[in-house]
Amino acid sequence: DAKTTQPPSMDCAEGRAANLPCNHSTISGNEYVYWYRQIHSQGPQYIIHGLKNNETNEMASLIITEDRKSSTLILPHATLRDTAVYYCIVRPPDSNYQLIWGAGTKLIIKP
Amino acid sequence: EAQVTQNPRYLITVTGKKLTVTCSQNMNHEYMSWYRQDPGLGLRQIYYSMNVEVTDKGDVPEGYKVSRKEKRNFPLILESPSPNQTSLYFCASSPRLGIGQFFGPGTRLTVL
Protein backbone atom coordinates (compact mmCIF):
# COMPACT_ATOMS: atom_id res chain seq x y z
CA ASP A 1 0.00 0.00 0.00
CA ALA A 2 1.10 3.54 -0.71
CA LYS A 3 2.51 5.30 2.32
CA THR A 4 1.11 8.65 1.26
CA THR A 5 -2.33 10.25 1.05
CA GLN A 6 -3.18 12.87 -1.55
CA PRO A 7 -6.43 14.52 -2.60
CA PRO A 8 -7.75 12.88 -5.77
CA SER A 9 -8.12 16.13 -7.67
CA MET A 10 -7.51 19.89 -7.50
CA ASP A 11 -8.09 22.91 -9.69
CA CYS A 12 -5.88 25.97 -10.02
CA ALA A 13 -6.14 29.11 -12.12
CA GLU A 14 -3.46 29.69 -14.72
CA GLY A 15 -0.75 32.01 -13.43
CA ARG A 16 -1.50 31.30 -9.78
CA ALA A 17 0.54 29.13 -7.44
CA ALA A 18 -0.58 25.52 -7.26
CA ASN A 19 -0.13 23.99 -3.82
CA LEU A 20 -0.40 20.20 -3.75
CA PRO A 21 -0.57 18.60 -0.29
CA CYS A 22 0.64 15.15 0.72
CA ASN A 23 0.27 13.35 4.04
CA HIS A 24 2.90 10.81 5.03
CA SER A 25 2.26 10.41 8.75
CA THR A 26 4.14 7.08 9.01
CA ILE A 27 7.32 8.33 7.36
CA SER A 28 10.56 7.07 8.89
CA GLY A 29 13.53 9.23 9.75
CA ASN A 30 15.58 8.18 6.74
CA GLU A 31 12.82 8.21 4.13
CA TYR A 32 12.86 10.82 1.42
CA VAL A 33 9.81 12.46 -0.11
CA TYR A 34 9.75 12.38 -3.92
CA TRP A 35 7.39 14.10 -6.31
CA TYR A 36 6.72 13.01 -9.87
CA ARG A 37 4.08 14.00 -12.36
CA GLN A 38 2.54 12.23 -15.32
CA ILE A 39 0.94 14.07 -18.21
CA HIS A 40 -1.73 11.94 -19.86
CA SER A 41 -0.07 8.50 -20.17
CA GLN A 42 3.36 9.93 -20.94
CA GLY A 43 6.30 8.69 -18.91
CA PRO A 44 6.33 10.06 -15.36
CA GLN A 45 8.59 13.07 -14.87
CA TYR A 46 10.71 13.57 -11.79
CA ILE A 47 10.08 16.95 -10.15
CA ILE A 48 11.88 17.21 -6.83
CA HIS A 49 12.74 15.35 -3.65
CA GLY A 50 13.75 16.17 -0.09
CA LEU A 51 14.46 14.75 3.35
CA LYS A 52 13.66 17.45 5.89
CA ASN A 53 14.79 20.78 4.53
CA ASN A 54 12.72 22.70 2.05
CA GLU A 55 13.95 22.32 -1.50
CA THR A 56 13.60 24.42 -4.64
CA ASN A 57 14.54 23.83 -8.24
CA GLU A 58 13.57 25.26 -11.60
CA MET A 59 10.29 23.38 -11.62
CA ALA A 60 8.92 23.62 -8.10
CA SER A 61 9.41 24.06 -4.38
CA LEU A 62 8.96 21.36 -1.76
CA ILE A 63 7.93 22.35 1.74
CA ILE A 64 8.22 19.62 4.38
CA THR A 65 6.71 20.19 7.81
CA GLU A 66 8.99 20.09 10.82
CA ASP A 67 7.52 16.78 12.02
CA ARG A 68 7.85 15.47 8.44
CA LYS A 69 4.34 14.06 8.51
CA SER A 70 3.24 16.10 5.52
CA SER A 71 4.60 18.11 2.64
CA THR A 72 3.44 20.52 -0.04
CA LEU A 73 4.60 20.78 -3.61
CA ILE A 74 4.37 24.32 -4.93
CA LEU A 75 4.26 25.21 -8.61
CA PRO A 76 4.78 28.98 -8.35
CA HIS A 77 3.14 30.11 -11.60
CA ALA A 78 1.01 27.30 -12.97
CA THR A 79 0.51 27.03 -16.72
CA LEU A 80 -1.90 24.91 -18.73
CA ARG A 81 0.98 22.50 -19.42
CA ASP A 82 1.16 21.73 -15.70
CA THR A 83 -2.14 19.84 -15.94
CA ALA A 84 -1.13 16.33 -14.89
CA VAL A 85 -1.37 13.69 -12.19
CA TYR A 86 1.09 14.46 -9.38
CA TYR A 87 2.49 11.64 -7.28
CA CYS A 88 4.00 11.98 -3.81
CA ILE A 89 6.17 9.00 -2.84
CA VAL A 90 8.29 8.18 0.19
CA ARG A 91 11.19 5.75 0.12
CA PRO A 92 14.34 4.99 2.10
CA PRO A 93 17.53 6.26 0.47
CA ASP A 94 19.16 2.84 0.26
CA SER A 95 16.22 0.85 -1.05
CA ASN A 96 15.97 -0.42 -4.58
CA TYR A 97 13.77 1.42 -7.02
CA GLN A 98 10.63 -0.17 -5.66
CA LEU A 99 8.76 3.07 -5.42
CA ILE A 100 5.23 2.54 -4.14
CA TRP A 101 2.99 4.69 -6.31
CA GLY A 102 -0.36 5.82 -4.99
CA ALA A 103 -3.25 7.26 -6.99
CA GLY A 104 -1.82 10.79 -7.03
CA THR A 105 -3.61 14.12 -7.42
CA LYS A 106 -5.12 15.10 -10.74
CA LEU A 107 -4.25 18.80 -11.06
CA ILE A 108 -6.25 20.75 -13.60
CA ILE A 109 -5.03 24.22 -14.53
CA LYS A 110 -7.85 26.40 -15.77
CA PRO A 111 -7.43 29.42 -18.07
CA GLU B 1 19.69 14.88 -25.77
CA ALA B 2 19.59 12.87 -22.56
CA GLN B 3 16.76 10.38 -22.81
CA VAL B 4 15.32 6.94 -22.26
CA THR B 5 13.96 5.33 -25.40
CA GLN B 6 11.60 2.41 -25.72
CA ASN B 7 10.60 0.38 -28.74
CA PRO B 8 8.07 -0.35 -29.94
CA ARG B 9 5.75 2.37 -28.65
CA TYR B 10 2.66 0.39 -29.56
CA LEU B 11 2.27 -3.35 -30.05
CA ILE B 12 -0.67 -5.64 -30.61
CA THR B 13 0.14 -9.32 -30.44
CA VAL B 14 -1.46 -12.68 -29.77
CA THR B 15 -1.25 -14.99 -26.81
CA GLY B 16 1.94 -17.05 -26.67
CA LYS B 17 3.97 -15.15 -29.25
CA LYS B 18 7.28 -14.18 -27.68
CA LEU B 19 8.11 -10.50 -27.74
CA THR B 20 10.80 -8.12 -26.54
CA VAL B 21 10.41 -4.48 -25.60
CA THR B 22 13.71 -2.66 -25.80
CA CYS B 23 14.86 0.10 -23.46
CA SER B 24 17.95 2.19 -23.93
CA GLN B 25 19.39 5.17 -22.05
CA ASN B 26 22.21 7.46 -23.14
CA MET B 27 23.04 8.93 -19.74
CA ASN B 28 25.41 6.23 -18.49
CA HIS B 29 23.00 5.46 -15.64
CA GLU B 30 23.67 2.46 -13.44
CA TYR B 31 20.09 1.83 -12.34
CA MET B 32 17.26 0.80 -14.62
CA SER B 33 13.73 -0.45 -13.96
CA TRP B 34 10.63 -1.67 -15.72
CA TYR B 35 7.11 -0.74 -14.58
CA ARG B 36 3.64 -1.52 -15.78
CA GLN B 37 0.73 0.84 -15.33
CA ASP B 38 -2.85 -0.34 -15.17
CA PRO B 39 -6.02 1.66 -14.43
CA GLY B 40 -6.75 1.71 -10.71
CA LEU B 41 -3.48 -0.04 -9.85
CA GLY B 42 -0.98 2.71 -10.54
CA LEU B 43 2.63 1.98 -11.46
CA ARG B 44 4.04 -1.35 -10.31
CA GLN B 45 7.65 -2.38 -10.63
CA ILE B 46 8.37 -5.53 -12.66
CA TYR B 47 12.17 -5.83 -12.51
CA TYR B 48 15.07 -3.58 -11.74
CA SER B 49 18.82 -3.61 -12.34
CA MET B 50 21.45 -1.99 -10.19
CA ASN B 51 24.25 -2.52 -12.70
CA VAL B 52 25.40 -4.68 -15.59
CA GLU B 53 24.56 -8.35 -15.00
CA VAL B 54 22.72 -7.47 -11.76
CA THR B 55 18.94 -7.76 -11.91
CA ASP B 56 16.24 -8.43 -9.34
CA LYS B 57 12.49 -8.88 -9.11
CA GLY B 58 10.11 -6.08 -8.33
CA ASP B 59 6.48 -6.35 -7.29
CA VAL B 60 5.07 -8.18 -10.32
CA PRO B 61 7.81 -10.19 -12.08
CA GLU B 62 5.72 -13.23 -13.09
CA GLY B 63 5.65 -13.76 -16.84
CA TYR B 64 8.56 -11.43 -17.55
CA LYS B 65 12.30 -11.72 -18.02
CA VAL B 66 14.99 -9.09 -18.27
CA SER B 67 18.68 -8.93 -19.05
CA ARG B 68 21.37 -6.32 -18.51
CA LYS B 69 24.35 -7.23 -20.65
CA GLU B 70 25.27 -3.61 -21.33
CA LYS B 71 24.84 -0.57 -19.15
CA ARG B 72 22.69 1.31 -21.63
CA ASN B 73 20.19 -1.46 -22.51
CA PHE B 74 17.57 -3.22 -20.38
CA PRO B 75 15.17 -5.23 -22.55
CA LEU B 76 11.91 -6.66 -21.21
CA ILE B 77 11.06 -10.11 -22.53
CA LEU B 78 7.64 -11.75 -22.53
CA GLU B 79 8.28 -15.40 -23.39
CA SER B 80 4.60 -16.34 -23.68
CA PRO B 81 2.41 -13.24 -23.42
CA SER B 82 -1.08 -13.55 -22.03
CA PRO B 83 -4.02 -11.11 -22.11
CA ASN B 84 -3.43 -10.11 -18.48
CA GLN B 85 -0.15 -8.58 -19.61
CA THR B 86 -2.01 -6.02 -21.66
CA SER B 87 -0.77 -2.81 -20.12
CA LEU B 88 1.24 0.39 -20.48
CA TYR B 89 4.92 -0.31 -19.82
CA PHE B 90 7.56 2.18 -18.73
CA CYS B 91 11.31 1.85 -18.53
CA ALA B 92 13.22 4.16 -16.18
CA SER B 93 16.84 4.90 -15.33
CA SER B 94 18.78 6.78 -12.67
CA PRO B 95 22.45 7.55 -12.06
CA ARG B 96 22.40 6.08 -8.57
CA LEU B 97 20.18 5.38 -5.58
CA GLY B 98 18.46 8.35 -4.06
CA ILE B 99 18.19 10.32 -7.29
CA GLY B 100 15.01 10.83 -9.29
CA GLN B 101 14.36 8.49 -12.17
CA PHE B 102 14.09 9.36 -15.85
CA PHE B 103 11.24 7.57 -17.55
CA GLY B 104 10.84 6.50 -21.15
CA PRO B 105 7.77 7.43 -23.23
CA GLY B 106 5.99 4.14 -22.61
CA THR B 107 5.00 1.08 -24.65
CA ARG B 108 1.33 0.27 -24.97
CA LEU B 109 0.99 -3.51 -25.30
CA THR B 110 -2.19 -5.36 -26.18
CA VAL B 111 -2.23 -9.15 -26.02
CA LEU B 112 -5.22 -10.73 -27.75
Side-chain angles (χ1 to χ4, degrees), chain A residues 32 34 36 38 41-46 49 87 91 93-102, chain B residues 31 33 35 37 42-43 45 48 58-59 88 90 94 96-101 103-105 108:
Chain A
Y32 283 72
Y34 284 77
Y36 286 80
Q38 188 174 24
S41 295
Q42 295 179 20
Q45 178 186 24
Y46 165 77
H49 74 284
Y87 297 95
R91 64 173 285 273
D94 58 349
S95 74
N96 69 56
Y97 278 93
Q98 199 159 344
L99 298 175
I100 309 298
W101 298 72
Chain B
Y31 301 94
S33 295
Y35 294 85
Q37 186 173 31
L43 280 115
Q45 191 184 53
Y48 66 96
D59 275 336
L88 179 58
F90 291 104
S94 176
R96 61 183 186 277
L97 284 171
I99 303 298
Q101 296 179 71
F103 280 79
R108 189 168 291 280

Side-chain angles (χ1 to χ4, degrees), chain B residues 10-28:
Chain B
Y10 302 90
L11 179 61
I12 300 174
T13 189
V14 296
T15 299
K17 186 176 181 182
K18 180 180 178 180
L19 66 93
T20 299
V21 183
T22 64
C23 172
S24 183
Q25 49 92 5
N26 63 0
M27 297 167 280
N28 202 36

Side-chain angles (χ1 to χ4, degrees), chain B residues 34-109:
Chain B
W34 274 103
Y35 294 85
R36 61 178 289 173
Q37 186 173 31
D38 303 289
L41 297 175
L43 280 115
R44 295 177 293 168
Q45 191 184 53
I46 303 170
Y47 270 94
Y48 66 96
S49 169
M50 299 178 84
N51 214 326
V52 175
E53 301 292 1
V54 180
T55 64
D56 209 343
K57 297 177 181 179
D59 275 336
V60 288
E62 294 77 22
Y64 304 94
K65 288 174 58 178
V66 292
S67 69
R68 187 91 182 274
K69 297 189 187 322
E70 308 165 275
K71 193 180 234 186
R72 63 182 294 129
N73 296 322
F74 191 43
L76 180 70
I77 303 156
L78 285 72
E79 295 270 4
S80 183
S82 62
N84 65 10
Q85 293 177 298
T86 292
S87 187
L88 179 58
Y89 290 86
F90 291 104
C91 179
S93 74
S94 176
R96 61 183 186 277
L97 284 171
I99 303 298
Q101 296 179 71
F102 291 81
F103 280 79
T107 295
R108 189 168 291 280
L109 172 66

Side-chain angles (χ1 to χ4, degrees), chain A residues 3-111:
Chain A
K3 299 179 67 173
T4 62
T5 304
Q6 299 176 253
S9 64
M10 292 180 62
D11 292 344
C12 179
E14 187 178 18
R16 304 295 294 270
N19 297 283
L20 293 97
C22 179
N23 288 320
H24 30 79
S25 58
T26 60
I27 193 169
S28 304
N30 64 346
E31 287 186 315
Y32 283 72
V33 180
Y34 284 77
W35 283 84
Y36 286 80
R37 72 180 183 184
Q38 188 174 24
I39 298 172
H40 187 57
S41 295
Q42 295 179 20
Q45 178 186 24
Y46 165 77
I47 302 173
I48 199 168
H49 74 284
L51 183 61
K52 50 185 171 184
N53 297 323
N54 298 336
E55 301 287 346
T56 295
N57 63 20
E58 65 279 3
M59 288 183 69
S61 295
L62 174 60
I63 309 297
I64 302 174
T65 58
E66 195 166 337
D67 64 7
R68 304 208 326 118
K69 292 184 185 299
S70 66
S71 60
T72 300
L73 179 75
I74 301 172
L75 307 178
H77 305 287
T79 71
L80 298 178
R81 286 178 294 181
D82 292 322
T83 292
V85 178
Y86 287 77
Y87 297 95
C88 170
I89 303 162
V90 298
R91 64 173 285 273
D94 58 349
S95 74
N96 69 56
Y97 278 93
Q98 199 159 344
L99 298 175
I100 309 298
W101 298 72
T105 296
K106 171 70 172 177
L107 175 67
I108 299 173
I109 307 300
K110 298 190 171 182

